[in-house]
Amino acid sequence: MRTDGHDLRHHGDAEVRDDGSALVDLAVNVRADTPPAWLREHVAASLAGLAAYPDGRAARAAVAARHGLPVGRVLLTAGAAEAFVLVARASKIRRAVVVHPQFTEPEAALRDAGHVVERVLLREEDGFRLDAAAVPEDADLVVVGNPTNPTSVLHPASVLAGLARPGRTLVVDEAFMDAVPGEREALAGRTDVPGLVVLRSLTKTWGLAGLRIGYVLAAPDTIAELERAQPLWPVSTPALAAAEACVSPRALAEAAHAARRVAADRAHLVAGLEEFAGHGVRVAGPAEGPFVLVRLEHAAAVRQRLRGLGYAVRRGDTFPGLGEEWLRLAVRDRATVNGFLRALERALATVSP
């Protein structure tokens, strides 16, 4: 789907398919070396029950308990992407607004459902931070990411909560919030924000993109409306097993440790990128997610040169509000980052005039 030259259906996995499958992956925002062995074994054990239809009650209760919510405020979905489709199909919308640059699937889903979508474009000179005054007062659906993909900006919870209005649905995509130490600025679990719909993904931190599991947190009447738009048994038995496991105390402790490690690895990546400031490399920031957004001249040529050197990175020009001079880089361990920085040095030397 192309709008104004932006391919809304292009995602990072396209960089590592086919001829990119052997590349070192800095294009996909899924934590490396996942899922862990204990989670793979737990999911594998669920295969013995595949003859029965999925029963999501235990997983739904576990997610509710994780956020201190009643079960009626939780809906399990086949990844956060399905939740965007449900919102688009089930909601009665007069004026939909999507805050960009951000994950493009919400806008694509809204357009597929026949809605006209307006964009609020955040500006580089403002650090891609949200100006709440830019959101039309009569918008009855507002979608924003936090931390936002691809800018890695973490918006204050108070600013996002301030977008709530009577008659407005406020969708906050928190797919990467569990990669933020302490999940500061999270709205998940809040029941005092009218019209709030929080989306969470379990595919990023736990490496379950191929399993498809996420969930929605919202008021019970909203959950019921979204559930009516779902097909029967939308989440598979293995995905339900994963959901229950990933919100256990053990998993939450592991995720918290991983978030701290990601923060340290991200600081190492950013410091390395800043060494190339003389080549025109600039990091958008401060970055708070498990990825960073980088601006540089000849980004398309650098990206292709990096592929030749064995590294895949995410092009940025498919995100509304960004152009061809942007790349997104997933945070990886220090050894991988060091190898990437050496390749970047070679790539920059090759393409620089």
Side-chain angles (χ1 to χ4, degrees), residues 9-25:
R9 284 276 157 73
H10 179 92
H11 301 298
D13 61 317
E15 309 281 358
V16 290
R17 289 198 298 257
D18 302 327
D19 65 335
S21 60
L23 301 178
V24 178
D25 179 10

PDB file of all heavy atoms in Angstrom, residues 9-25:
ATOM      1  N   ARG A   9       3.241  -0.961   3.776  1.00  0.00           N
ATOM      2  CA  ARG A   9       3.310  -2.392   4.075  1.00  0.00           C
ATOM      3  C   ARG A   9       4.745  -2.929   3.994  1.00  0.00           C
ATOM      4  O   ARG A   9       4.953  -4.142   4.008  1.00  0.00           O
ATOM      5  CB  ARG A   9       2.374  -3.154   3.130  1.00  0.00           C
ATOM      6  CG  ARG A   9       0.894  -2.982   3.546  1.00  0.00           C
ATOM      7  CD  ARG A   9       0.547  -4.002   4.628  1.00  0.00           C
ATOM      8  NE  ARG A   9      -0.575  -3.645   5.456  1.00  0.00           N
ATOM      9  CZ  ARG A   9      -1.866  -3.661   5.092  1.00  0.00           C
ATOM     10  NH1 ARG A   9      -2.207  -3.963   3.870  1.00  0.00           N
ATOM     11  NH2 ARG A   9      -2.806  -3.373   5.957  1.00  0.00           N
ATOM     12  N   HIS A  10       5.708  -2.044   3.901  1.00  0.00           N
ATOM     13  CA  HIS A  10       7.110  -2.476   3.952  1.00  0.00           C
ATOM     14  C   HIS A  10       7.543  -2.514   5.408  1.00  0.00           C
ATOM     15  O   HIS A  10       7.394  -1.540   6.137  1.00  0.00           O
ATOM     16  CB  HIS A  10       8.009  -1.507   3.172  1.00  0.00           C
ATOM     17  CG  HIS A  10       9.457  -1.897   3.215  1.00  0.00           C
ATOM     18  ND1 HIS A  10      10.049  -2.689   2.254  1.00  0.00           N
ATOM     19  CD2 HIS A  10      10.432  -1.623   4.120  1.00  0.00           C
ATOM     20  CE1 HIS A  10      11.320  -2.878   2.551  1.00  0.00           C
ATOM     21  NE2 HIS A  10      11.580  -2.237   3.678  1.00  0.00           N
ATOM     22  N   HIS A  11       8.103  -3.651   5.832  1.00  0.00           N
ATOM     23  CA  HIS A  11       8.578  -3.791   7.202  1.00  0.00           C
ATOM     24  C   HIS A  11       9.995  -4.360   7.188  1.00  0.00           C
ATOM     25  O   HIS A  11      10.502  -4.820   6.152  1.00  0.00           O
ATOM     26  CB  HIS A  11       7.627  -4.663   8.013  1.00  0.00           C
ATOM     27  CG  HIS A  11       6.229  -4.099   8.066  1.00  0.00           C
ATOM     28  ND1 HIS A  11       5.942  -2.878   8.632  1.00  0.00           N
ATOM     29  CD2 HIS A  11       5.048  -4.577   7.596  1.00  0.00           C
ATOM     30  CE1 HIS A  11       4.644  -2.638   8.521  1.00  0.00           C
ATOM     31  NE2 HIS A  11       4.077  -3.647   7.892  1.00  0.00           N
ATOM     32  N   GLY A  12      10.620  -4.345   8.350  1.00  0.00           N
ATOM     33  CA  GLY A  12      12.022  -4.720   8.433  1.00  0.00           C
ATOM     34  C   GLY A  12      12.337  -6.122   7.964  1.00  0.00           C
ATOM     35  O   GLY A  12      13.452  -6.393   7.499  1.00  0.00           O
ATOM     36  N   ASP A  13      11.359  -7.030   8.058  1.00  0.00           N
ATOM     37  CA  ASP A  13      11.631  -8.416   7.661  1.00  0.00           C
ATOM     38  C   ASP A  13      11.928  -8.526   6.166  1.00  0.00           C
ATOM     39  O   ASP A  13      12.571  -9.482   5.729  1.00  0.00           O
ATOM     40  CB  ASP A  13      10.471  -9.332   8.044  1.00  0.00           C
ATOM     41  CG  ASP A  13       9.162  -8.943   7.361  1.00  0.00           C
ATOM     42  OD1 ASP A  13       8.852  -7.741   7.301  1.00  0.00           O
ATOM     43  OD2 ASP A  13       8.455  -9.839   6.894  1.00  0.00           O
ATOM     44  N   ALA A  14      11.478  -7.539   5.380  1.00  0.00           N
ATOM     45  CA  ALA A  14      11.767  -7.579   3.945  1.00  0.00           C
ATOM     46  C   ALA A  14      13.260  -7.477   3.674  1.00  0.00           C
ATOM     47  O   ALA A  14      13.741  -7.931   2.625  1.00  0.00           O
ATOM     48  CB  ALA A  14      11.034  -6.436   3.236  1.00  0.00           C
ATOM     49  N   GLU A  15      14.008  -6.892   4.608  1.00  0.00           N
ATOM     50  CA  GLU A  15      15.445  -6.724   4.418  1.00  0.00           C
ATOM     51  C   GLU A  15      16.213  -8.043   4.585  1.00  0.00           C
ATOM     52  O   GLU A  15      17.358  -8.149   4.134  1.00  0.00           O
ATOM     53  CB  GLU A  15      15.994  -5.699   5.424  1.00  0.00           C
ATOM     54  CG  GLU A  15      15.246  -4.381   5.466  1.00  0.00           C
ATOM     55  CD  GLU A  15      15.611  -3.454   4.326  1.00  0.00           C
ATOM     56  OE1 GLU A  15      16.484  -3.820   3.513  1.00  0.00           O
ATOM     57  OE2 GLU A  15      15.034  -2.350   4.258  1.00  0.00           O
ATOM     58  N   VAL A  16      15.602  -9.015   5.250  1.00  0.00           N
ATOM     59  CA  VAL A  16      16.328 -10.254   5.561  1.00  0.00           C
ATOM     60  C   VAL A  16      15.657 -11.480   4.964  1.00  0.00           C
ATOM     61  O   VAL A  16      15.892 -12.608   5.408  1.00  0.00           O
ATOM     62  CB  VAL A  16      16.515 -10.422   7.084  1.00  0.00           C
ATOM     63  CG1 VAL A  16      17.501  -9.394   7.610  1.00  0.00           C
ATOM     64  CG2 VAL A  16      15.187 -10.296   7.830  1.00  0.00           C
ATOM     65  N   ARG A  17      14.794 -11.265   3.983  1.00  0.00           N
ATOM     66  CA  ARG A  17      14.226 -12.383   3.244  1.00  0.00           C
ATOM     67  C   ARG A  17      15.078 -12.676   2.018  1.00  0.00           C
ATOM     68  O   ARG A  17      15.836 -11.836   1.542  1.00  0.00           O
ATOM     69  CB  ARG A  17      12.788 -12.084   2.813  1.00  0.00           C
ATOM     70  CG  ARG A  17      11.787 -12.077   3.949  1.00  0.00           C
ATOM     71  CD  ARG A  17      10.362 -12.229   3.432  1.00  0.00           C
ATOM     72  NE  ARG A  17       9.970 -11.125   2.566  1.00  0.00           N
ATOM     73  CZ  ARG A  17       9.182 -10.123   2.948  1.00  0.00           C
ATOM     74  NH1 ARG A  17       8.730 -10.098   4.176  1.00  0.00           N
ATOM     75  NH2 ARG A  17       8.859  -9.171   2.099  1.00  0.00           N
ATOM     76  N   ASP A  18      14.920 -13.872   1.468  1.00  0.00           N
ATOM     77  CA  ASP A  18      15.560 -14.250   0.203  1.00  0.00           C
ATOM     78  C   ASP A  18      17.066 -13.996   0.259  1.00  0.00           C
ATOM     79  O   ASP A  18      17.754 -14.564   1.081  1.00  0.00           O
ATOM     80  CB  ASP A  18      14.886 -13.512  -0.963  1.00  0.00           C
ATOM     81  CG  ASP A  18      13.387 -13.811  -1.027  1.00  0.00           C
ATOM     82  OD1 ASP A  18      13.002 -14.946  -0.677  1.00  0.00           O
ATOM     83  OD2 ASP A  18      12.620 -12.920  -1.411  1.00  0.00           O
ATOM     84  N   ASP A  19      17.575 -13.070  -0.576  1.00  0.00           N
ATOM     85  CA  ASP A  19      19.025 -12.870  -0.633  1.00  0.00           C
ATOM     86  C   ASP A  19      19.573 -12.200   0.624  1.00  0.00           C
ATOM     87  O   ASP A  19      20.786 -12.116   0.797  1.00  0.00           O
ATOM     88  CB  ASP A  19      19.407 -12.046  -1.864  1.00  0.00           C
ATOM     89  CG  ASP A  19      18.853 -10.624  -1.817  1.00  0.00           C
ATOM     90  OD1 ASP A  19      17.828 -10.408  -1.142  1.00  0.00           O
ATOM     91  OD2 ASP A  19      19.444  -9.741  -2.448  1.00  0.00           O
ATOM     92  N   GLY A  20      18.696 -11.746   1.521  1.00  0.00           N
ATOM     93  CA  GLY A  20      19.160 -11.136   2.765  1.00  0.00           C
ATOM     94  C   GLY A  20      19.180 -12.079   3.945  1.00  0.00           C
ATOM     95  O   GLY A  20      19.547 -11.684   5.061  1.00  0.00           O
ATOM     96  N   SER A  21      18.803 -13.344   3.728  1.00  0.00           N
ATOM     97  CA  SER A  21      18.660 -14.270   4.846  1.00  0.00           C
ATOM     98  C   SER A  21      19.978 -14.587   5.548  1.00  0.00           C
ATOM     99  O   SER A  21      19.986 -14.972   6.719  1.00  0.00           O
ATOM    100  CB  SER A  21      18.007 -15.571   4.367  1.00  0.00           C
ATOM    101  OG  SER A  21      18.806 -16.190   3.370  1.00  0.00           O
ATOM    102  N   ALA A  22      21.109 -14.427   4.852  1.00  0.00           N
ATOM    103  CA  ALA A  22      22.409 -14.726   5.454  1.00  0.00           C
ATOM    104  C   ALA A  22      23.050 -13.502   6.094  1.00  0.00           C
ATOM    105  O   ALA A  22      24.148 -13.602   6.656  1.00  0.00           O
ATOM    106  CB  ALA A  22      23.343 -15.307   4.396  1.00  0.00           C
ATOM    107  N   LEU A  23      22.399 -12.353   6.013  1.00  0.00           N
ATOM    108  CA  LEU A  23      22.987 -11.121   6.539  1.00  0.00           C
ATOM    109  C   LEU A  23      22.845 -11.037   8.056  1.00  0.00           C
ATOM    110  O   LEU A  23      21.920 -11.610   8.646  1.00  0.00           O
ATOM    111  CB  LEU A  23      22.310  -9.904   5.903  1.00  0.00           C
ATOM    112  CG  LEU A  23      22.383  -9.790   4.379  1.00  0.00           C
ATOM    113  CD1 LEU A  23      21.633  -8.554   3.910  1.00  0.00           C
ATOM    114  CD2 LEU A  23      23.825  -9.756   3.908  1.00  0.00           C
ATOM    115  N   VAL A  24      23.752 -10.312   8.691  1.00  0.00           N
ATOM    116  CA  VAL A  24      23.600  -9.975  10.101  1.00  0.00           C
ATOM    117  C   VAL A  24      22.452  -8.982  10.207  1.00  0.00           C
ATOM    118  O   VAL A  24      22.446  -7.940   9.548  1.00  0.00           O
ATOM    119  CB  VAL A  24      24.896  -9.369  10.672  1.00  0.00           C
ATOM    120  CG1 VAL A  24      24.701  -8.982  12.135  1.00  0.00           C
ATOM    121  CG2 VAL A  24      26.049 -10.362  10.534  1.00  0.00           C
ATOM    122  N   ASP A  25      21.473  -9.302  11.027  1.00  0.00           N
ATOM    123  CA  ASP A  25      20.194  -8.596  11.016  1.00  0.00           C
ATOM    124  C   ASP A  25      20.168  -7.448  12.022  1.00  0.00           C
ATOM    125  O   ASP A  25      20.086  -7.667  13.223  1.00  0.00           O
ATOM    126  CB  ASP A  25      19.077  -9.601  11.319  1.00  0.00           C
ATOM    127  CG  ASP A  25      17.701  -8.957  11.353  1.00  0.00           C
ATOM    128  OD1 ASP A  25      17.581  -7.781  10.961  1.00  0.00           O
ATOM    129  OD2 ASP A  25      16.753  -9.642  11.776  1.00  0.00           O
TER     130      ASP A  25
END
